[in-house]
């Protein structure tokens, strides 16, 4: 008997749904014209949650490539008792995600005003597809597998599409990704193409892509497409594991601060849920503070939370304030615009959950501009393993908060570096040499690719009918039945 349910986060609704159903918003609220997100909730008294976090250490010895060992090998599923929404271990889709490093950045710490030994960098770029998204994708693919999905889709600023494409190809599902034309870094585009996803370049930005993919996955259920964006509550269950690994790397002690970039606001939402549950379970005695850092050119949470004072208010947050802020942005034709393309998002879908996380973690929100992001990205490259621009916003934001006296120089600070340095090599080369590789490439002569595995992106206008036609209408090729599909029997998916 599954102890997990899906539950509406609106305190005036709290409707519940089985985990065997597929929703990305509460159907009951939708009937009243309200858009409310769902959570995965557990009846913890009936789960096998451990009494202490060091319980998980025995798995360091058991990891292998068979049965439970496959799960112990994953940096997400070795914490499976803290996300027990699956019916049986065989439901789990894992590719060995979450085996990431935390660095004690002693050389960098003084540059941002912290005592050496107090700055930690959590390198989520070391995931198989090069970003933190794999933590969430393994959980969402597990749910997709539970409900028998064959086609999965997302809108993306690049990393979600790379991760989705990798998981889709390895689990025999058809991947469809929507990206804003000219909006994503080449490293990320190259991954979606290489992993064989149907790659639609929409004439529009991320926010337009997300509206379209929701239309095809949610409004057009007949197309049978499972939505993988972070409005999918199962994604966030997997992303909780980033925090479990942070605690693990600190020998199960709680840092003073967690600093994370904010785009669609799924990651910070997952962190808030992780700590709230750990506290409820008595597995930690205090909750760290949260700092969400946005780019100045894509800063709705900063504007609403820090400037206008929007608060969670036990779930009854001021939705009129949000609506009028977005209306003003629309009237002024303000679109998200930042060098940190991963977080170039103007209408974050997880805004409500982010407000809740800020409440649970006594959080703050700051913004940093593009030149500052690039300076701190270079510092992470100089004194660490490097990261992509959006990730460096954390280090820049941490320094700002130390200067403000919000973070004390003796406090411990964990900055989440969400994406690998090689995701956006163009930004790095331009910073160091002044050469804009992207414009050079745009002018280069093109030939029609003829390789057997060539997978060209498809340019599509921001138009629903054109999009449905581009994905083959109701007949998207199902890779799980094509002759080129991997030998599923040989894969670590539902092997036991
Ligand atoms: N950092 C990186 C490298 C990202 O790719 C993203 C989001 C974020 C931070 C922001 O995380 O959305 O949970 O607040 N990228 C998404 C994508 C939107 O499509 O790849 P968030």
């Amino acid at each position: 008997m599954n102890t997990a349910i899906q539950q509406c986060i609106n305190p005036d609704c709290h409707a519940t749904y089985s985990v065997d159903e597929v929703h990305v918003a509460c159907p009951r609220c939708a009937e009243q014209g309200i858009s409310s997100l769902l959570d995965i909730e557990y009846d913890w008294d009936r789960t096998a949650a451990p009494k202490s976090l060091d319980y998980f250490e025995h798995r360091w010895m058991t990891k292998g490539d068979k049965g439970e060992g496959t799960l112990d090998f994953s940096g997400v599923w070795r914490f499976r008792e803290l996300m027990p929404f699956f019916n049986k271990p065989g439901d789990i889709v894992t590719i060995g995600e979450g085996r990431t490093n935390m660095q004690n950045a002693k050389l960098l710490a003084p540059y941002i005003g912290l005592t050496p030994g107090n700055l930690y960098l959590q390198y989520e770029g070391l995931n198989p597809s090069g970003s933190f998204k794999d933590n969430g994708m393994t959980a969402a693919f597990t749910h997709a597998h539970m409900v028998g999905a064959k086609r999965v889709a997302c809108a993306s600023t690049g990393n979600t599409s790379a991760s989705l494409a990798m998981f889709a190809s390895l689990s025999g599902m058809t991947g469809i990704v929507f990206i804003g034309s000219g909006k994503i870094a080449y490293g990320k585009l190259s991954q979606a193409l290489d992993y064989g996803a149907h790659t639609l370049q929409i004439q529009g930005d991320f926010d337009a892509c997300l509206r379209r993919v929701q239309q095809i996955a949610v409004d057009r259920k007949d197309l049978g497409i499972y939505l993988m964006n972070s409005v999918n509550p199962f994604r966030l269950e997997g992303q909780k594991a980033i925090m479990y690994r942070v605690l693990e790397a600190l020998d199960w002690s709680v840092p003073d601060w967690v600093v994370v970039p904010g785009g669609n606001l799924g990651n910070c939402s997952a962190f808030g849920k992780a700590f709230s549950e750990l506290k409820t379970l008595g597995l930690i005695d205090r909750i760290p503070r949260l700092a969400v850092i946005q780019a100045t050119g894509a800063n709705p949470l900063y504007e609403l939370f820090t400037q206008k004072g929007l608060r969670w208010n036990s779930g009854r947050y001021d939705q009129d304030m949000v609506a009028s802020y977005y209306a003003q942005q629309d009237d002024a034709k303000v679109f998200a615009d930042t060098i940190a393309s991963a977080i170039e998002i103007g209408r974050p879908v997880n805004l409500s959950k982010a407000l809740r996380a800020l409440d649970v973690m006594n959080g703050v929100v700051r913004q940093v501009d593009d030149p500052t992001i690039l300076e701190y990205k270079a510092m992470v490259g100089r004194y660490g393993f490097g990261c992509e621009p959006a990730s460096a916003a954390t280090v820049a934001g941490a320094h700002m908060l130390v200067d403000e006296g919000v973070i004390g120089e003796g406090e411990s600070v964990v900055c989440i570096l969400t994406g690998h340095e090689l995701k956006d090599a163009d930004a790095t080369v331009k910073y160091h040499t002044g050469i804009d590789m992207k414009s050079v490439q745009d002018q280069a002569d093109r030939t029609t690719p003829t390789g057997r595995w060539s997978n060209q992106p498809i340019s599509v206008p921001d138009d629903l009918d054109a999009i449905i036609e581009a994905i083959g209408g109701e007949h998207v090729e199902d890779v799980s039945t094509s002759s080129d599909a991997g030998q599923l029997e040989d894969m670590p998916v539902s092997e036991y």
Side-chain angles (χ1 to χ4, degrees):
M1 181 63 190
N2 202 314
T3 59
I5 49 161
Q6 305 188 64
Q7 184 171 47
C8 174
I9 73 164
N10 175 355
D12 298 319
C13 174
H14 275 336
T16 59
Y17 307 93
S18 157
V19 289
D20 296 326
E21 297 175 31
V22 179
H23 302 291
V24 290
C26 173
R28 191 159 95 184
C29 285
E31 277 171 18
Q32 295 159 39
I34 304 168
S35 171
S36 303
L37 296 172
L38 297 170
D39 263 338
I40 309 305
E41 291 291 344
Y42 305 98
D43 181 356
W44 291 113
D45 292 338
R46 291 170 54 228
T47 68
K51 300 272 174 290
S52 149
L53 284 171
D54 59 12
Y55 162 85
F56 295 108
E57 290 176 11
H58 75 274
R59 296 199 167 135
W60 300 346
M61 304 299 291
T62 59
K63 58 196 180 203
D65 64 358
K66 287 273 181 294
E68 296 274 319
T70 313
L71 302 185
D72 295 349
F73 184 78
S74 161
V76 173
W77 297 106
R78 73 170 175 265
F79 301 103
R80 53 195 173 273
E81 285 83 355
L82 299 175
M83 51 190 82
F85 64 81
F86 49 92
N87 292 319
K88 54 186 189 311
D91 290 336
I92 292 175
V93 177
T94 174
I95 61 168
E97 58 288 321
R99 298 170 54 76
T100 58
N101 282 8
M102 175 185 277
Q103 179 197 19
N104 184 337
K106 289 192 176 128
L107 296 179
L108 181 56
Y111 286 94
I112 72 161
L114 285 172
T115 312
N118 281 349
L119 173 65
Y120 299 92
L121 302 180
Q122 174 72 15
Y123 285 96
E124 288 303 309
L126 298 178
N127 270 289
S129 82
S131 85
F132 75 96
K133 303 287 181 183
D134 295 350
N135 292 283
M137 222 38 97
T138 185
F141 268 79
T142 294
H143 184 245
H145 186 220
M146 281 166 68
V147 299
K150 294 274 188 290
R151 307 172 191 175
V152 296
C154 71
S156 182
T157 56
N159 282 323
T160 303
S161 54
S163 183
L164 177 148
M166 181 182 263
F167 272 90
S169 77
L170 290 177
S171 59
M173 294 188 208
T174 299
I176 305 166
V177 304
F178 287 55
I179 57 178
S181 197
K183 292 286 183 186
I184 78 170
Y186 272 120
K188 304 173 189 183
L189 174 63
S190 67
Q191 289 181 285
L193 300 178
D194 217 30
Y195 305 141
H198 292 265
T199 305
L200 305 192
Q201 290 186 311
I202 310 289
Q203 316 292 317
D205 61 7
F206 171 82
D207 297 310
C209 288
L210 190 58
R211 274 193 295 275
R212 292 302 184 192
V213 77
Q214 285 185 311
Q215 281 175 327
I216 67 153
V218 183
D219 304 345
R220 290 288 310 270
K221 284 216 162 47
D222 57 304
L223 294 172
I225 292 174
Y226 181 99
L227 186 64
M228 286 287 175
N229 280 98
S230 55
V231 279
N232 178 332
F234 295 93
R235 269 270 310 271
L236 302 192
E237 287 307 287
Q239 286 170 219
K240 295 188 306 190
I242 302 170
M243 292 300 100
Y244 306 149
R245 294 200 298 277
V246 162
L247 296 176
E248 183 180 52
L250 295 173
D251 212 9
W252 310 115
S253 68
V254 178
D256 294 312
W257 285 89
V258 172
V259 189
V260 64
N264 226 1
L265 306 178
N267 227 10
C268 59
S269 300
F271 297 176
K273 187 168 190 283
F275 284 113
S276 159
E277 289 173 347
L278 290 176
K279 188 84 192 327
T280 304
L281 287 166
L283 292 170
I284 52 172
D285 54 10
R286 71 187 176 97
I287 290 177
R289 295 193 67 187
L290 172 70
V292 181
I293 313 299
Q294 295 207 290
T296 306
N299 63 355
L301 185 66
Y302 173 77
E303 287 287 334
L304 289 163
F305 181 87
T306 306
Q307 297 295 95
K308 298 182 190 293
L310 181 69
R311 291 295 180 271
W312 169 240
N313 190 27
S314 306
R316 297 184 182 87
Y317 65 98
D318 186 347
Q319 303 205 12
D320 292 340
M321 181 196 283
V322 179
S324 84
Y325 170 70
Y326 287 160
Q328 277 167 17
Q329 300 288 100
D330 284 342
D331 289 348
K333 297 208 176 346
V334 176
F335 298 104
D337 182 19
T338 168
I339 183 85
S341 55
I343 51 174
E344 194 176 63
I345 295 173
R347 302 284 183 277
V349 291
N350 288 297
L351 177 72
S352 53
K353 286 186 176 177
L355 292 173
R356 184 177 64 178
L358 287 162
D359 187 63
V360 167
M361 298 180 70
N362 187 16
V364 297
V365 183
R366 292 293 183 270
Q367 62 173 0
V368 288
D369 63 24
D370 284 2
T372 308
I373 287 174
L374 291 176
E375 289 297 332
Y376 284 81
K377 188 185 105 54
M379 284 162 63
V380 175
R382 177 71 179 75
Y383 293 109
F385 312 158
C387 65
E388 67 166 282
S391 311
T394 55
V395 183
H399 195 175
M400 178 183 275
L401 289 164
V402 173
D403 282 351
E404 288 176 18
V406 176
I407 295 181
E409 69 174 275
E411 290 192 293
S412 55
V413 179
V414 179
C415 291
I416 311 301
L417 299 184
T418 43
H420 199 281
E421 165 160 46
L422 296 176
K423 289 278 188 174
D424 193 354
D426 289 340
T428 309
V429 171
K430 187 171 178 201
Y431 174 88
H432 289 289
T433 67
I435 300 170
D436 187 347
M437 292 303 292
K438 220 167 164 195
S439 63
V440 174
Q441 289 164 18
D442 285 344
Q443 288 156 20
D445 284 345
R446 290 171 192 226
T447 52
T448 305
T450 53
R452 178 167 173 237
W453 296 95
S454 299
N455 177 30
Q456 276 193 281
I458 310 160
S459 283
V460 196
D462 184 12
D463 172 82
L464 188 58
D465 291 336
I467 289 168
I468 293 177
E469 197 188 319
I471 59 172
E474 291 167 25
H475 305 288
V476 182
E477 186 202 0
D478 183 352
V479 293
S480 62
T481 56
S482 82
S483 57
D484 288 326
Q487 293 292 307
L488 289 180
E489 304 78 63
D490 297 340
M491 296 173 59
V493 182
S494 56
E495 205 180 44
Y496 32 79

